[in-house]
Each structure stands twice: as C-alpha cells, then as structure tokens.
Amino acid sequence: MDSLRYGILGPLRLVHVQGQPLKAAKPRQLLATLLLHPNRFVSTDLIADALWENSPPRSATANIRTYVRVLRGVLQDAGLPAPIDTSAAGYSIEVGVDQLDASLFESLLAEGGHLRDAGEGRQAMQVLSRAYSLWRGRPLEDLPMPAAWEGSISRLEAQHRGLVDTLLDLRLQYGDASGAAVLLSARLTEDPYDEQLWRRLIDALLAAGRVGEARAAYARAVQTLADELDVKPGPELEAAGARAENGRSANWPNPGIPTDPADRQDRAEPAASPGPMAAPELIDPPRPPSQLPLDLPDFSGREEQLERLRDLVCGRDPVRPPVAVISGAPGTGKTSLAVRLGHLVREYFPDGQIYLDMHGATHPRDPAAALTDLLLSLNLPDTAIPTDPERRSAMLRSELASRRVLIILDDVAGASQVTPLMPGTGASAVVVTSRNRLMDLAGADSTPLDTFDDHEATGLLSSVAGPDRIDPTSPEIEEILSACANLPLAIRIVGSRLAQRPDLSPRELARRLRDEASRLDELSIGELAVRSSADLSYDALSPEEARLYRLIGHFAVGVFSARALEAVASPAAVRRALDRLIEVNLVRISSVDHRGTARYRVHDLLRLHALGVGTEEQKAQAVRDVETVVEAILNKIRRANNALSFEYFGVLEHTGPLTAPDPAPFTETDAIAWFDSERSTFVPAIRAAAQNGLHEHAWRIAAAWGPYLDLRAGFDDWNGSHQQGLLSAIACGNRRGEAIMHRNLGQLALYQDDWEVARRHLDAAARTFAEIGDRLGEGITAVGLGTWLRERGERDKGLEQYEKAIEAFVEGGNANAEALARTAAGNVYMARGELTRAREYLAQAFLIAVRRADAHREAKVRRRIAGLRVRQGRHDEAVRQLRTALAIFDGMGDDHCAAYTRALLGRALMERGEVAAARKTLLDAIDIGHRLGDRSVEGEAAQHLGELYLSTGSLDNARRTLERAARVWHQAGNADAVARCRSLLAETAADAAVS
C-alpha cells in the first residue's frame, strides 16, 4: 500500500505528506468531492452543492475556479501525482486505483469475492483483510457532510458492512478466533444490543484462549442489556457466559489452542498398564514462565498507546510475530508502559511471559547470554542448549514457533543486541523498550513516547500523590507540572515526595522547583532521579555529540534549526551529531515545514541537564559556542537586510560594512525566504543570548530583524523579541539599543491600538534619542508620536510632530524617512479638509519615492493619494492608484499595508457601484486585519462593508456588520468611529421600521 496517496476512508488525508498542507475548508471540501468520484468529471453544480449546501453565492463558479487553482498548487508542492482536469462537464481528478484508498478498497473487495467464489477461501481472507485494514473510521468524518455526498458514502459504508460479515465468516471457518473477535468487537460498537453478536464474541475469545477477556465481554453484555433495554441475557448468551466462567470453548473449528486438560481426561480411553520399559509418568508438567515485574498500581495515562500496542501484540491479522519497539527520552515511562501492557495481555499468551533487562544504558547484556536465559525460561534443560550462539538462536525460533509467548526485552542498546532473540514465525510477540529508536530493527513497529499532555500529567500526579494532597486547579500544581515539563519520571518523583512528606506543601515544593539551577537536584527521591537517568544517555555519546548536546542545552530555549548550529561545525558533522541525539531521544523533531526543513526541540529538563554536564572548561566552551552561533545569526540577518529592496523606516542596530565577509550575497527573494524559514529560531536565539550573558547580541538581533517583522506584520515575534531585547539593552548599558527597543515597541503598540503602552514607549524613546543626540531616532520617534496624537484626535499637535520629523530628516539627508513624514503630514491636512496642502505634501513624497526607486514607499504614498482622490470624488483615479499599490504590497508579501489598501479600495469600488467586487475586497481586508490583530483596519473595512449593505437594502447584514465595526472600534479606543457606526445603525433601524 506504499503507493497510496489519498485517503477518504476516515479523515481526509494526503498520505506520506508531512504536516497538513491543505488547511483551507473549501479546497478540502472540493478535494473530497472529486475523490468521491475519481477519474470522472464532476459538474460545477454538484461541487457547488457540496461546498455551499444548495445555497451557493453568485460568485460560486469563480470561487470554485479559485479553489481548483489553490488545490492544484498544494498538490503540486506536496509532490502528489493527481492532475485536475477542466472541461465543460466540470472538474476531474485523475488517480490510479492503488493511489486512493476507496478505489483500492473496492478493487480488493472484488478480488476477494472472486477468490471466495472460486473456493480459494484462505487467499480470499487475506485479500479481504487488506481491504478491511484500509478503513480508519467513517469516510471523511473530519469534514461537514453535505447531502451531495450521501449517495457515495452510503455505498461505501454498505460495502464495508458486507465486507465485515464476509470476513467474519471466513475467519470463523479457518479457525482465526482472534481475528474474528476483533471484527465482532467492531460490529458491537455499531449494534451493542445484538445478543448473538455478544455470544459469538465470547466464544471467539474463548477459542483464542483469552478467557479473562471472554468473562469481561459477558459482564459488559449483561450490563449493556440491563442498562439500555432492562432485559436479562437469553439462554444462548447465558450459556456462553457459563462457558466463559468455566474456561471452556464452544464447538468451534480448532484455532490451535490446546483443549482443557479436564476435557481430555473425561474423554480418554482406559489407559493400559505401563510396561516395564515405559517412561516414568510426568506428574507435574513444567509451568509456563510468568516473569513480568510488578505492575505499577498508580500507572496513569498512555491509553492511546496501550490500545495500539495491545492490538499489535495480540495480532489483528498476523502474518508474522509482532515486534513492538517503545522508545523515548529518559524518564518518559517506557518500562512502565511495557509492563502494564504485559499484564493486560498475559492471558493471550498462555505459554508464558518472559522479561529480560538488557541493561542497554549501562552494560549491555551479551545477546548469546540472553539467548541462554530465554531458552532456560522456556523450560529447556541447560544440557540441551547449544554452545554456538547461532544454533541457540535457531533453537529459540523453533521453540517459539509452536508456542504463544510474550517476551519483554527492556532497556535495549541497539538492534544488534536483540536481532538474534526474535521469533521467526508463530503466535509469540516481542516488546522492546529502548532509549534509541532502533530504526534498523527489521519488521519492528515503532511507538515513540513523548511527554504527557496536561490532562495525563495531572492524572499521574493525583494518582501518585493522592487526590487529597493536591488541587489540580491550584496555581501551585500548575507550576509544579510546568517545572516537570510533563515528564512522567519527574511527575512520579514530585508525587512521591508529596505522598511521603506530609510536611511538604505543594506551595513549598513549587517554590523549590522555581530555581532552574537546583531543579534537577529537587527531582530526586530514592533511586529515582531525572539527572541520573539522563546521565546514562549522555555517557553513551561521542565527544563531538556531547559537545553539540552541551551547546544545545545553552542555546535551545525553544525550537531551533540545524543550520543555526553550523557556525561551530560543518553541516555534515552537525547532521551526524543531531541524528545521533535524535536516535537516543535527547533531541526530538518539533516540526517539518513544507520545504522539508526540520525544527528541533529539547525537553526542558534535558536542557537543564545539558547545562550541568561536562567539566568547567567544557561548560565555558558551550557558552563560547553559543556566542559563535548568535554572532553568525546576527551577521546573516544583516546580509539578508542588505538584499531587501525597500528602505526600512526605523533605526537599525548596525550601519556600514558587514562585520564578517559575505560569502554569497542574498537576492531579495532568497533573503525573505530565509527569514521565513528561520523565523522560529530568532526569538529563542535572543533568549539564549540573554541567558548566557550575551546581552549585546540579544538586543541587536531583536533590532536587526525589525525590517522583516514590519514587512510580515509578525506582531507576536515582534513583541517577544523586543521585550527581551529591551531588558538586554538595559543590562549591558547600551542607551542607543534601549532607545531603539522602546521606539519599536511603541510602533508595535500603535499597530495594535494599545495607546497607553505606545505613548509610554515612544516618550521613553524620544527622551533617550535626544540625550544621546541621535537625530534620525528623534525624527522617527516624532512620526510615531504624531500618529499617536492624530489617532487620539489631536491633529494639530500630531502635525507639529510630523513637521519636526521632516526637519530632522532633511537635516540628516534621509529622503526615505522624509517621504514617509510628508505622507503622514499630508494625511493630516487631508483630514482637516486642506486638500490643496495635502496634495502638495503627497506629491513631494511621491517624487522622492520614485527618484529613489523605492517601490514600497511609492505604494504607500499611492494609497494616501487614492484617499485624497476619494475625498475629491475622483473614484476612477483612486481605484487605479489603489490597484497599483496593492499589486506592489502583495508582491512583497506585506499583508499589513495590503489590508489597509483593500479597505480603501473596497470603499472606492463601492462608490463606483461595483458592489460584488467591493464586498469581496472588504471581506478580505476584514479577515486580514482580524488575523493580524489590527483593529483599525478591521474596523474601517467592517464599517465600509456595513455602509455597502445599507446602500443595497441588505439591512440584516448591515446591522450585523456595523455592530462588529462598532465593537472593534471600541476595542481600538476610537470614540469618533464608534459614534459614526452607531449613527449608521440608527439609520438601519429606521429603514427596517419603514419597510
């Protein structure tokens, strides 16, 4: 099934594609509709019904074309071979039978039916089992279910029901009692009141030797019938319950399970007297091994992994002995999970359960000695065990072929340690735990363990400490779990301390864990310790791997990329060391983007461990390595900034030549692509620099990527980086850096309509720039203060600040900044009704931008000129200017400026009577403004859209949209705009009363 590319038999998925490349709802709905009718043209009308449930918009056809274009792009980027054809008949997606699970399902269904009709029952069972394995749930269960899909999905579900019945008959016919039990359990999920299904499930479990599960099934049947139907079991079901109680199977085909010895004795012929040469009678046959360690009474969590592992080792459709590998970082609870699993399934393995500690993290056990232990555990005499390890391995395979044994191999070092211990055939199963992923263990099924989620973490702490010791909702417990970073071992340790120390309050424990320097010391009780557990993995590293691990501990306070570490070693060396750290679960992959670039993360407690390991010189080297990494990041940001075609309106941390040679200058496209790909690295890098005392690097990186943040409207990253940058600038006493941080934070607050915060930062920036004599900084800050005053209704004072800024920029010869300040001043003159003066200022700004070939500044001035044309009633000219500006902003990826441009373009189109185009443009502006958190553009666009609805008589839409605009303006603190919306709402109410 490796050729599968698309899945609809369950949630919609693109197989073998990392992440979720198709997130938008309508294109997903469109893809699902086409896949329900593969290789056939689907009419536009049917697609519209599927996307809009019989109420498509007027622009449905155009919208569908857009969604098809988006879908083609996503599939092409994901490397999926599925051309979407267009014709007069509609749209068609071309997929092979083996590329779509539904098509492959129907093909296997037909093949299995043909084999069964031809008398090839066993082959039919194998083929139909493959078809059954394709189902992951109800078809397309993660999407809204339109009426247009009902026929196709009903047909698939009917085929599935028929398959289950056929496969059940075949499994019963050929003695696969365990497989039959799986199918019966699935059927009972759909019809829990069918007594015959319950009866058959109980007998199937008995035939498979799973007596305990059979008894549990009968108890569930009795409870279900009593609770839901208020009836008692019928005679047949009651008889099945009696068989379960006595441990006897019904008269089924022999499933390969030995019959009850008592039954054999009842049916035996009278034995002849033994002759003189007869072998002695075996009075006490060897007992099967039962070596499982004690199950933890307070085991908690891992339900999903347990269910999956149970299905695996019990064998849904075994074609080979199942081998499960449970891997994970130190302290994730691998052994506890394996032991719990062993106790849950022990009745399924009547020939014994064997446990071997392979000591992989300390002194790995020799495979030859382990083979001897396994054979002795199977009750073979030591005299029969071969001396040659290969012959021992062959003997083990022979013994396991006719037995049903569960083997748990705990703490395995590598695949070579356990490969000789694997069964070759039969119904036995092996569960392996390891700190390594064991990707080279052939035929193994991997279950990697991560830390607990919040719910599981709280459950474990409550279970270990006792519910009377903790209040899960208290801030102390939240702080304790946060300090443990949801690592099961750490939670078990703090839970045990709370349980055994009634004098230790959760508040006091939270206080002790607050200090990162001593946290690992607190996470220790008896022989349980997070530090010693991590030490075992660290001690297995090579010197190069250990150095990278120590560097990651100092640097990786969030996600990071491999490229960021290449400043201290070659790319190949970093890749090899990272691969090893991932293999031993000291580092994990956090995400993989659409380019295939991985981001990594290290668990918080392992990061603290990495900070503490090594000699004093090695720790000092780790800090020097961090400095090398952040210096390289800073220089690369500077190189990328040099490639940007627009001039940043702000104060850069560095001007002049680069402090390091530029090996390969960026193009603008490459620079922005690099910023996009490394964006998640910068904020953690700033924090890492600060934590290692590299404060000069911290504030400079924050300031250096200001142009990109402004371009991409990266408000969250902007705030996160600059808050730390401000603290670092203060810490290292760099007054200029402090002023830059204040100005940038003030600008961010302006974008987000956070007026009090904006004024506080801008005032601080203005004072500091004046004290150090930085005229450029003074002018740029004055523009920010002018905008603050203008938006707060003090236009005249705002204009004074703009004029002050123009003076500073002319004095310093900064034409780009002068153009911006003149644009801002022209905007104030326009608001005051002085249109001639506004035109003069805007014309001067436009001329500067054109002479400097600054397309970004030109687009911004064009937007303001368009606003002037709207005020003059020259809407055709306004639309031309705005469309030109919008093309520039969209081409540069500047969503923020593009949103404001769309809001004004929507208004201009409305004035020209282009209602449909205006509505779409304004809706886009509202969506972008809301996504960016810019209430001003969201409020402006929503207000214009409300006016549009009002002008077309769509009163309900007008009321809803204007109420939204009023709410947004209120959140932005713009009382005048709120009043305007309230006035328009009053008009809406009056119009509604008249109609």
Side-chain angles (χ1 to χ4, degrees):
M1 299 180 191
D2 288 341
S3 57
L4 273 180
R5 293 294 181 266
Y6 301 89
I8 64 174
L9 301 180
L12 175 67
R13 71 173 184 175
L14 307 182
V15 185
H16 305 312
V17 175
Q18 292 286 348
Q20 174 56 272
L22 188 61
K23 297 180 179 179
K26 295 301 184 188
R28 285 174 62 80
Q29 202 89 349
L30 170 63
L31 176 60
T33 304
L34 295 177
L35 291 174
L36 282 170
H37 308 83
N39 306 307
R40 299 205 307 265
F41 280 99
V42 183
S43 70
T44 304
D45 289 342
L46 191 149
I47 294 174
D49 286 343
L51 268 58
W52 291 285
E53 275 287 9
N54 299 315
S55 58
R58 294 179 181 176
S59 58
T61 302
N63 290 351
I64 291 172
R65 283 198 298 269
T66 300
Y67 300 147
V68 169
R69 186 169 64 252
V70 169
L71 188 54
R72 282 174 173 150
V74 169
L75 298 182
Q76 182 178 355
D77 291 344
L80 295 175
I84 299 176
D85 293 331
T86 307
S87 77
Y91 298 91
S92 169
I93 188 167
E94 182 181 338
V95 290
V97 170
D98 59 346
Q99 293 175 338
L100 172 63
D101 59 3
S103 298
L104 181 57
F105 167 75
E106 292 183 303
S107 174
L108 292 171
L109 204 61
E111 181 183 354
H114 174 74
L115 288 169
R116 189 187 189 197
D117 293 342
E120 301 289 341
R122 289 191 180 276
Q123 287 182 272
M125 183 169 66
Q126 292 175 355
V127 171
L128 294 176
S129 294
R130 286 185 63 203
Y132 178 79
S133 69
L134 291 170
W135 279 70
R136 298 172 286 112
R138 190 165 188 263
L140 300 171
E141 62 186 16
D142 61 330
L143 296 176
M145 198 67 60
W149 291 358
E150 288 179 358
S152 299
I153 289 180
S154 296
R155 174 177 55 81
L156 287 170
E157 290 180 332
Q159 290 175 328
H160 181 254
R161 287 192 296 271
L163 164 68
V164 171
D165 290 336
T166 301
L167 194 52
L168 180 59
D169 291 339
L170 287 169
R171 286 180 172 174
L172 297 181
Q173 179 181 349
Y174 290 99
D176 183 6
S178 179
V182 171
L183 292 174
L184 286 162
S185 296
R187 284 287 305 275
L188 279 164
T189 302
E190 301 172 1
D191 191 0
Y193 312 124
D194 190 327
E195 288 192 55
Q196 288 303 314
L197 288 178
W198 282 111
R199 192 267 303 164
R200 296 172 80 185
L201 174 62
I202 293 165
D203 284 337
L205 291 170
L206 286 171
R210 297 156 66 177
V211 177
E213 292 178 62
R215 292 170 183 164
Y218 179 71
R220 288 200 309 275
V222 172
Q223 190 70 41
T224 300
L225 295 173
D227 290 347
E228 303 294 336
L229 303 178
D230 195 25
V231 298
K232 294 182 179 180
E236 292 186 0
L237 180 55
E238 200 167 47
R243 287 193 294 274
E245 189 62 33
N246 295 325
R248 298 186 179 184
S249 174
N251 186 24
W252 276 43
N254 179 16
I257 307 297
T259 56
D260 193 309
D263 290 346
R264 290 200 301 269
Q265 186 174 357
D266 291 343
R267 294 191 297 268
E269 296 292 333
S273 299
M277 301 299 293
E281 183 179 1
L282 296 178
I283 305 300
D284 265 335
R287 295 181 179 179
S290 184
Q291 302 175 357
L292 294 177
L294 180 67
D295 190 15
L296 290 174
D298 49 17
F299 182 90
S300 180
R302 305 296 190 201
E303 287 86 358
E304 181 180 342
Q305 290 89 344
L306 268 175
E307 182 179 354
R308 181 175 178 276
L309 287 165
R310 182 171 179 166
D311 283 347
L312 174 68
V313 300
C314 292
R316 176 173 293 183
D317 287 301
V319 294
R320 57 177 173 75
V323 178
V325 174
I326 303 173
S327 63
T332 48
K334 303 177 289 294
T335 299
S336 300
L337 177 61
V339 171
R340 167 54 61 98
L341 172 68
H343 283 281
L344 283 177
V345 303
R346 64 190 306 269
E347 291 186 348
Y348 189 77
F349 296 94
D351 296 321
Q353 308 88 42
I354 301 175
Y355 173 87
L356 280 184
D357 187 344
M358 302 299 290
H359 299 293
T362 51
H363 304 289
R365 183 187 290 228
D366 179 55
L371 279 167
T372 299
D373 289 342
L374 285 173
L375 292 170
L376 289 173
S377 296
L378 293 172
N379 295 308
L380 270 73
D382 55 1
T383 56
I385 298 175
T387 57
D388 178 54
E390 291 188 6
R391 292 183 60 201
R392 285 184 219 171
S393 183
M395 176 179 280
L396 177 65
R397 291 193 295 273
S398 296
E399 290 296 324
L400 293 177
S402 59
R403 306 194 198 201
R404 185 169 288 176
V405 179
L406 174 68
I407 301 173
I408 295 180
L409 304 174
D410 192 23
D411 190 17
V412 169
S416 61
Q417 190 186 19
V418 293
T419 298
L421 315 183
M422 296 296 107
T425 187
S428 293
V430 180
V431 177
V432 175
T433 75
S434 178
R435 295 171 180 235
N436 301 328
R437 293 178 180 267
L438 304 188
M439 293 179 286
D440 53 341
L441 183 58
D445 188 278
S446 178
T447 300
L449 296 188
D450 202 345
T451 55
F452 276 164
D453 61 31
D454 292 343
H455 176 72
E456 289 176 318
T458 304
L460 178 59
L461 183 59
S462 177
S463 179
V464 177
D468 57 329
R469 285 287 278 139
I470 70 167
D471 174 8
T473 62
S474 68
E476 301 87 49
I477 296 304
E478 291 181 8
E479 187 175 358
I480 288 172
L481 292 175
S482 177
C484 294
N486 286 5
L487 185 71
L489 175 59
I491 297 169
R492 181 167 293 281
I493 290 170
V494 297
S496 297
R497 295 187 68 185
L498 289 172
Q500 298 176 23
R501 290 279 307 276
D503 60 318
L504 180 62
S505 69
R507 178 174 298 179
E508 170 61 17
L509 181 57
R511 185 193 66 77
R512 295 182 184 182
L513 293 172
R514 206 168 290 152
D515 183 5
E516 286 193 351
S518 61
R519 184 175 298 166
L520 290 182
D521 295 328
E522 293 292 336
L523 294 175
S524 173
I525 184 171
E527 295 185 0
L528 296 179
V530 172
R531 189 193 303 278
S532 59
S533 179
D535 282 343
L536 296 175
S537 293
Y538 174 74
D539 292 342
L541 300 177
S542 70
E544 293 78 13
E545 295 158 359
R547 179 182 177 181
L548 191 71
Y549 177 63
R550 293 190 296 270
L551 165 60
I552 289 171
H554 284 75
F555 175 71
V557 295
V559 297
F560 63 96
S561 69
R563 283 187 293 192
L565 307 179
E566 291 171 4
V568 297
S570 69
V574 168
R575 184 181 66 252
R576 286 194 301 270
L578 262 181
D579 286 346
R580 174 61 176 158
L581 293 175
I582 292 169
E583 183 184 352
V584 299
N585 285 292
L586 290 175
V587 171
R588 66 182 177 88
I589 297 175
S590 176
S591 63
V592 179
D593 65 20
H594 66 282
R595 302 177 186 84
T597 303
R599 293 291 180 275
Y600 305 92
R601 181 183 292 276
V602 62
H603 188 275
D604 284 350
L605 294 180
L606 290 177
R607 180 179 63 81
L608 297 181
H609 175 262
L611 288 172
V613 295
T615 65
E616 292 305 315
E617 171 54 30
Q618 287 172 332
K619 293 176 184 177
Q621 181 61 53
V623 175
R624 292 194 293 271
D625 286 344
V626 172
E627 184 173 9
T628 301
V629 168
V630 295
E631 178 71 20
I633 289 173
L634 179 57
N635 277 301
K636 200 160 186 179
I637 293 175
R638 291 168 177 169
R639 288 174 49 211
N641 283 340
N642 285 348
L644 300 179
S645 62
F646 63 90
E647 190 167 343
Y648 169 57
F649 184 74
V651 183
L652 288 170
E653 52 81 35
H654 170 81
T655 56
L658 296 173
T659 57
D662 190 350
F666 279 109
T667 66
E668 182 171 31
T669 301
D670 290 341
I672 293 176
W674 177 76
F675 272 123
D676 287 341
S677 66
E678 294 297 311
R679 178 172 177 167
S680 61
T681 298
F682 297 138
V683 176
I686 291 166
R687 292 176 183 154
Q691 289 185 11
N692 286 276
L694 306 171
H695 292 293
E696 191 74 23
H697 288 84
W699 82 258
R700 287 187 181 277
I701 293 175
W705 76 321
Y708 171 80
L709 291 170
D710 208 1
L711 175 69
R712 284 287 194 251
F715 294 164
D716 290 341
D717 287 336
W718 189 330
N719 185 64
S721 60
H722 280 65
Q723 292 290 354
Q724 179 58 62
L726 177 58
L727 294 175
S728 288
I730 294 171
C732 66
N734 194 308
R735 299 278 284 154
R736 183 168 177 272
E738 183 182 342
I740 293 173
M741 293 296 100
H742 274 304
R743 180 267 161 190
N744 290 0
L745 285 168
Q747 186 63 39
L748 172 63
L750 284 179
Y751 285 151
Q752 296 182 311
D753 306 307
D754 196 344
W755 306 110
E756 182 179 346
V757 171
R759 187 59 190 260
R760 184 172 70 250
H761 282 298
L762 291 171
D763 283 343
R767 286 193 306 271
T768 308
F769 277 130
E771 289 169 6
I772 64 177
D774 189 323
R775 290 289 284 153
L776 175 63
E778 284 186 84
I780 288 173
T781 306
V783 171
L785 286 167
T787 301
W788 191 94
L789 291 163
R790 183 193 72 203
E791 293 297 319
R792 306 307 291 160
E794 300 182 55
R795 291 174 182 160
D796 293 343
K797 291 183 179 180
L799 188 57
E800 290 175 9
Q801 290 289 338
Y802 291 146
E803 295 289 1
K804 175 182 175 182
I806 291 171
E807 180 183 343
F809 298 145
V810 171
E811 178 185 323
N814 192 318
N816 171 63
E818 178 190 347
L820 184 142
R822 289 190 180 280
T823 303
N827 197 38
V828 174
Y829 283 121
M830 191 181 349
R832 285 168 43 168
E834 299 179 38
L835 302 188
T836 300
R837 196 71 186 274
R839 181 181 59 79
E840 293 172 357
Y841 271 75
L842 293 175
Q844 291 170 326
F846 187 74
L847 184 61
I848 292 172
V850 171
R851 286 176 176 172
R852 292 177 55 79
D854 187 341
H856 193 256
R857 177 64 52 211
E858 175 190 334
K860 288 188 172 184
V861 181
R862 282 184 183 275
R863 177 163 62 87
R864 295 301 186 187
I865 292 173
L868 176 62
R869 297 295 181 243
V870 170
R871 291 286 298 271
Q872 294 171 330
R874 297 159 64 179
H875 301 111
D876 291 345
E877 294 181 31
V879 168
R880 283 197 298 273
Q881 293 280 5
L882 290 167
R883 283 177 170 160
T884 301
L886 187 58
I888 294 172
F889 290 138
D890 283 344
M892 302 181 78
D894 188 346
D895 289 347
H896 195 225
C897 288
Y900 277 99
T901 306
R902 282 185 168 88
L904 186 55
L905 177 59
R907 179 185 172 190
L909 290 170
M910 177 177 64
E911 297 291 348
R912 289 209 313 182
E914 298 182 39
V915 174
R919 176 177 173 275
K920 181 182 183 307
T921 303
L922 291 170
L923 284 170
D924 288 344
I926 292 170
D927 288 343
I928 297 171
H930 182 72
R931 172 169 57 83
L932 298 178
D934 191 323
R935 299 184 185 94
S936 292
V937 69
E938 183 183 356
E940 179 183 338
Q943 181 177 327
H944 291 332
L945 183 59
E947 292 170 344
L948 174 65
Y949 284 136
L950 189 57
S951 68
T952 59
S954 183
L955 300 183
D956 285 343
N957 285 333
R959 175 181 53 76
R960 284 194 297 270
T961 308
L962 289 170
E963 285 176 347
R964 174 178 181 172
R967 285 195 305 273
V968 173
W969 282 128
H970 177 73
Q971 293 167 353
N974 192 326
D976 291 342
V978 171
R980 172 61 180 160
C981 289
R982 295 297 180 202
S983 175
L984 290 170
L985 282 166
E987 290 182 32
T988 305
D991 289 347
V994 170
S995 61

